[in-house]
Each structure stands twice: as structure tokens, then as C-alpha cells.
Amino acid sequence: MAGLELPPHAAALPVLRAVEMHAGGEPLRVVPAGAMCGHAVLALGRLALDYGLGPAPCRPETRVVIHCPCGPVTAFVPWDGQRSRNPVRFHSVPAFAAAADLTVDVPGYGKVVLDIGYGGAFYAFLSAEKLGLDVCSSSVRDLVDAATAVTEAVKKQFKPHHPDSEDLAFIYGTILTDGKDAFSDEPTTNICVFGDAQVDRSPTGSGVTARIALQYHKQLIKLDQTRTFRSSTTGSLFTGKAVEEAKCGDYNAVIVEVSGEAFYTGTAVYTAEEEDPLKYGFLIK
């Protein structure tokens, strides 16, 4: 194997090269195409500078605009003259409270009161305590099951609306919290369950954005008050603050600044052999 750059592979099929990263413990595999989310913005901001994919780097930080499905997001990446550094911060698209104190009937849990926030995606938010759980000590399995039940119930009982794009108007997941929404210097803990019962290892960039928008809507925080958010799974931290008021259609919105750390973990090269019957992948449900 010494000196062999690639294994035998089909010349007609593409060779995919990827950079492996994580932000707050949430992994990211950067390939030539793919959707963006908050933790990815933190990582891609660094990668854009280090790989020469963005503007010419400058000290002390460089502004990088990343086009996401929800719209352009501006990242601010520290630069020391040779390489990118942490923490990276970004300014969100306009974030808003879609519904506050909404009562939803969740099978197995009864009627619960929750909020719906938008921060690049729509999430349901509620304290895990309302479901008889503790976001810090309950098992991840129990938290995932409860959050998934909430997501499915909200999808049936609430239709979100996005003024700019109906493609964004769906509930992406549920974020269970420790209930500490009022401003404090102490971190507040949450877990994000999204997609097909997947768990975000980070505090969730778009989730932090939406949660800040909800806290601002409820007058629990003011502009430029920084809150720290902790992932209940890894203990990793993001910070967030509302930096300016904005509008999104008829919604009163805010631009949120999220800050966190992203790190490189390696590189990878992916190939396929022509005779491989699974070369195009498979799905297990």
C-alpha cells in the first residue's frame, strides 16, 4: 500500500475529496455540494480562508458571506496573518417568534405549552420539565423520544409561515431546554432533535438564533446582551445575542450574532469501483 494514492476505482465515476471538521462536537464533512446550517457556517468560515475559497484574508478578522438555503449569512473569521482562528461569529438572517405560548396536544404527554421560533429553520421550544424530563440528566433516548413526539404533534397542529419562501415553512425539529430563558450570565442548556430523530451534538447555531429571537420577543433579553448556550450532549458552548432589530414580512425580527469554535479533524478521499452494486449508496429506514 505504500505510495498508493488511491485504491483501484472506476475512472468514469467521480473522486470526492472532503475536509472533516466539527463545531461544538457536531461533525461536518465539507464536499463540493451540500446544505448549510449554523454549525456549518462557523466551520466553513474558517475553511474559506484557509483554502483560499473566499476573500483575501485580513487582520484581525475577515468577513465571509456564505449563501445558505435561508439566505446569505455573514461570518466573521479571525485571521492571524497565516491561518484562521477561533472563535468564529456570524450574523443571522432575520429571526423571529412565529408563535408564543402555543398549546399543543402531544400524544403520550398531554397538552403542553411551547413556542415556535425561526432562526434559519423553524423549531418548537419548550422546557424538558413540561414532559417530565430533565435536559441535563435524563437519558438521550428519552429526550429524543419526547422531542420527536412534540415535533410530530406540532407538524399536525401548527403551520408555520415564512414571508420570503414557503420552502422554509416547515418544522425542522424540537429543542428541549432547561427552562432558563431569562437573561443570566450563567449558561442555559438545551438539546436539539431534528430531521429523522437526529441529535445535534452542538448547541445548534440556527437553534440559538431562534431561541434568542424568542427571548427578545418576550422581553427577557435586550439588544447586545450575550447569552451562553450549552449542549446537553457534549457540553460544548455557543454564545448568542440580538444585535439589531429587523423585519421579515410582517414579523418583528432581530439579527442575531452567534459565536462558537470550529476545528479541523482530517481529510478524506472517497472512490467507487464500477462493479460495486452499492456504489450509489442505500437507505435503511
Side-chain angles (χ1 to χ4, degrees):
M1 295 294 291
L4 184 63
E5 181 181 358
L6 293 176
H9 64 283
L13 296 176
V15 173
L16 294 180
R17 299 179 185 273
V19 176
E20 310 287 332
M21 304 182 73
H22 82 86
E26 181 68 358
L28 179 72
R29 176 169 292 145
V30 185
V31 293
M36 301 299 128
C37 53
H39 87 283
V41 169
L42 299 174
L44 288 170
R46 290 197 63 196
L47 183 137
L49 296 192
D50 293 326
Y51 281 78
L53 302 177
C58 59
R59 289 177 169 174
E61 65 179 9
T62 304
R63 181 176 178 268
V64 180
V65 178
I66 298 173
H67 291 271
C68 303
C70 61
V73 174
T74 302
F76 300 89
V77 187
W79 181 257
D80 67 5
Q82 295 183 322
R83 54 169 288 194
S84 69
R85 294 291 184 179
N86 281 304
V88 179
R89 59 191 179 96
F90 70 80
H91 284 181
S92 72
V93 295
F96 55 85
D101 300 321
L102 176 72
T103 299
V104 175
D105 189 3
V106 182
Y109 298 91
K111 294 185 183 296
V112 296
V113 178
L114 51 80
D115 301 320
I116 308 292
Y118 176 80
F122 285 94
Y123 296 95
F125 291 85
L126 72 160
S127 169
E129 186 179 10
K130 294 182 179 180
L131 303 172
L133 299 169
D134 186 295
V135 75
C136 297
S137 62
S138 294
S139 73
V140 172
R141 181 73 267 166
D142 288 343
L143 292 169
V144 168
D145 289 344
T148 301
V150 171
T151 298
E152 294 307 310
V154 172
K155 286 180 177 178
K156 294 176 181 177
Q157 299 171 51
F158 178 82
K159 179 65 175 76
H161 166 68
H162 194 283
D164 297 330
S165 174
E166 282 305 304
D167 288 342
L168 299 171
F170 65 95
I171 302 297
Y172 189 49
T174 292
I175 297 180
L176 302 179
T177 78
D178 58 9
K180 298 176 182 178
D181 291 319
F183 176 73
S184 170
D185 291 327
E186 294 298 314
T188 175
T189 302
N190 59 227
I191 184 173
C192 174
V193 181
F194 66 98
D196 191 13
Q198 297 165 273
V199 176
D200 195 328
R201 284 82 149 179
S202 80
T204 310
S206 54
V208 165
T209 301
R211 198 170 170 202
I212 286 284
L214 283 165
Q215 292 172 357
Y216 188 79
H217 172 78
K218 293 187 170 187
Q219 299 183 332
L220 298 174
I221 60 170
K222 300 176 181 179
L223 289 179
D224 292 319
Q225 285 189 321
T226 299
R227 294 223 62 191
T228 301
F229 298 83
R230 177 190 288 123
S231 165
S232 72
T233 56
T234 63
S236 61
L237 303 174
F238 286 174
T239 64
K241 63 180 178 180
V243 294
E244 65 177 284
E245 294 182 337
K247 293 288 289 187
C248 187
D250 293 333
Y251 289 109
N252 292 322
V254 286
I255 303 299
V256 177
E257 180 178 292
V258 176
S259 179
E261 295 185 322
F263 297 95
Y264 295 103
T265 57
T267 59
V269 178
Y270 298 93
T271 63
E273 293 186 89
E274 187 62 54
E275 61 270 27
D276 182 356
L278 302 178
K279 60 181 174 291
Y280 296 116
F282 53 91
L283 181 64
I284 298 175
K285 295 290 285 183

